[in-house]
Amino acid sequence: MTILAVQIFEELAKATWERIQFGEELGCRQGEETITDINILELKRARLCEVLIPEIYKATESKTGIDWEWWIGSDQRGWWRYAVQAKKVNSDQKYSKLRHIIGKLHPKKFQIDILESYAQGNNCIPLYCLYNFIDDNNLQKYWHCNFNYDKFQFGCTVVPVDVIRKAFKLGEKKTFQFVHSHESVLPWRCLVICPLILSARHGELHPLANGIYANFNSYDTLPSFLRQEAREGNRIELSNDFYNRQIEIYPKRILVIDVDNEA
């Protein structure tokens, strides 16, 4: 396992935690889109991943609904593909935008429905990436990782979409505490360090693919259109073999992280 990947993910989680904390204290708050952009830039600066920008040619095709798509793994281990939507906790410890509606689509759709449609149509595991700061030093009860407790790793957590579905319901709690009480919620570093995730292959249950998402399969090798030798620069044309044109939903960016490559 590459030590670099784990270190960078841990550092970004702590930086996100502090960025939200100090933003509240100083009145210079950053939204989830800004935090996502900063984290992507830092991953790129660390030479940890490839950041690819899809070329969308048809005016009717929508980029809306998916913040990013992650391909994480290696040709030795296999690759998992994740469709990811980011959300930031508010100062009241709630995720107020879980019921966000995409107004540009007709008919209008909830963002979570778009994420699920994309994931089911493209063999991705749908996740929410939550950005957090909680003014509480007693968060151990929400720690579900087998590695040592570190509250700063709550800065970036990954959540299966079925957990968000429960919080999504009208009248249900949308708090940090409610979401993180579920044992499938993990620090995002687990995507690049957890042996249960990295070793899961065809026919095996992925820890973050709960319920109806348990049947998604890993990819034996990274698709050729994502490989550096098959493209020029960071812009790519999406392959019809991997993207369902009928649903007309595409990621804003694609991140490729080879966990066996010490860049």
Side-chain angles (χ1 to χ4, degrees):
M1 177 59 229
T2 171
I3 298 175
L4 173 63
V6 178
Q7 289 177 335
I8 297 301
F9 271 74
E10 288 178 343
E11 290 171 3
L12 288 177
K14 181 178 180 181
T16 298
W17 176 277
E18 294 180 336
R19 188 172 292 115
I20 297 173
Q21 176 186 6
F22 299 148
E24 291 293 334
E25 292 177 1
L26 303 176
C28 52
R29 301 173 184 85
Q30 295 175 330
E32 61 215 23
E33 290 186 1
T34 299
I35 295 174
T36 296
D37 287 345
I38 291 172
N39 285 340
I40 289 176
L41 289 171
E42 290 305 308
L43 288 169
K44 180 67 174 177
R45 288 185 65 242
R47 306 296 193 271
L48 181 62
C49 69
E50 293 284 345
V51 180
L52 308 176
I53 303 172
E55 293 280 11
I56 309 298
Y57 293 107
K58 296 180 181 178
T60 58
E61 290 177 342
S62 172
K63 301 179 186 179
T64 308
I66 308 299
D67 279 341
W68 47 13
E69 180 179 287
W70 293 338
W71 291 76
I72 300 178
S74 69
D75 286 346
Q76 293 73 37
R77 301 169 185 263
W79 294 83
W80 285 106
R81 182 182 181 187
Y82 304 95
V84 186
Q85 183 64 51
K87 292 296 175 189
K88 174 192 166 188
V89 75
N90 292 340
S91 58
D92 60 1
Q93 302 184 4
K94 295 180 180 179
Y95 305 101
S96 61
K97 297 182 179 180
L98 291 187
R99 294 183 61 84
H100 181 61
I101 294 176
I102 303 300
K104 296 179 181 179
L105 301 181
H106 300 285
K108 296 179 180 180
K109 294 183 180 181
F110 285 107
Q111 200 170 45
I112 190 172
D113 294 331
I114 295 172
L115 178 66
E116 288 185 318
S117 295
Y118 179 87
Q120 289 175 321
N122 292 312
N123 190 39
C124 303
I125 296 175
L127 297 177
Y128 272 73
C129 180
L130 302 182
Y131 303 138
N132 305 296
F133 163 73
I134 301 296
D135 189 10
D136 184 348
N137 289 321
N138 187 28
L139 297 175
Q140 288 93 331
K141 68 181 75 173
Y142 306 111
W143 185 257
H144 310 298
C145 175
N146 290 328
F147 291 93
N148 291 336
Y149 169 73
D150 176 5
K151 74 171 184 179
F152 293 117
Q153 298 313 307
F154 282 116
C156 297
T157 55
V158 286
V159 185
V161 76
D162 68 308
V163 174
I164 297 297
R165 269 292 177 197
K166 296 174 183 177
F168 171 83
K169 295 178 181 178
L170 282 173
E172 189 56 86
K173 295 178 181 178
K174 296 172 175 55
T175 63
F176 171 94
Q177 292 77 9
F178 177 82
V179 171
H180 289 79
S181 65
H182 295 268
E183 62 182 15
S184 56
V185 180
L186 299 169
W188 77 339
R189 71 175 180 189
C190 292
L191 295 174
V192 295
I193 191 175
C194 178
L196 295 177
I197 291 177
L198 293 176
S199 299
R201 299 303 294 270
H202 298 309
E204 299 177 356
L205 180 63
H206 189 291
L208 294 169
N210 294 338
I212 63 173
Y213 304 103
N215 295 323
F216 284 127
N217 290 322
S218 63
Y219 295 81
D220 290 331
T221 60
L222 186 68
S224 59
F225 78 99
L226 293 176
R227 295 183 180 275
Q228 188 171 16
E229 60 268 20
R231 55 183 168 77
E232 294 183 6
N234 293 327
R235 295 190 175 273
I236 60 169
E237 182 176 355
L238 300 180
S239 169
N240 291 333
D241 294 333
F242 293 89
Y243 294 89
N244 186 338
R245 301 291 181 178
Q246 293 182 345
I247 61 177
E248 296 187 341
I249 306 170
Y250 299 95
K252 296 176 183 177
R253 298 181 186 88
I254 300 172
L255 272 65
V256 179
I257 300 177
D258 188 333
V259 297
D260 287 332
N261 179 23
E262 285 280 5

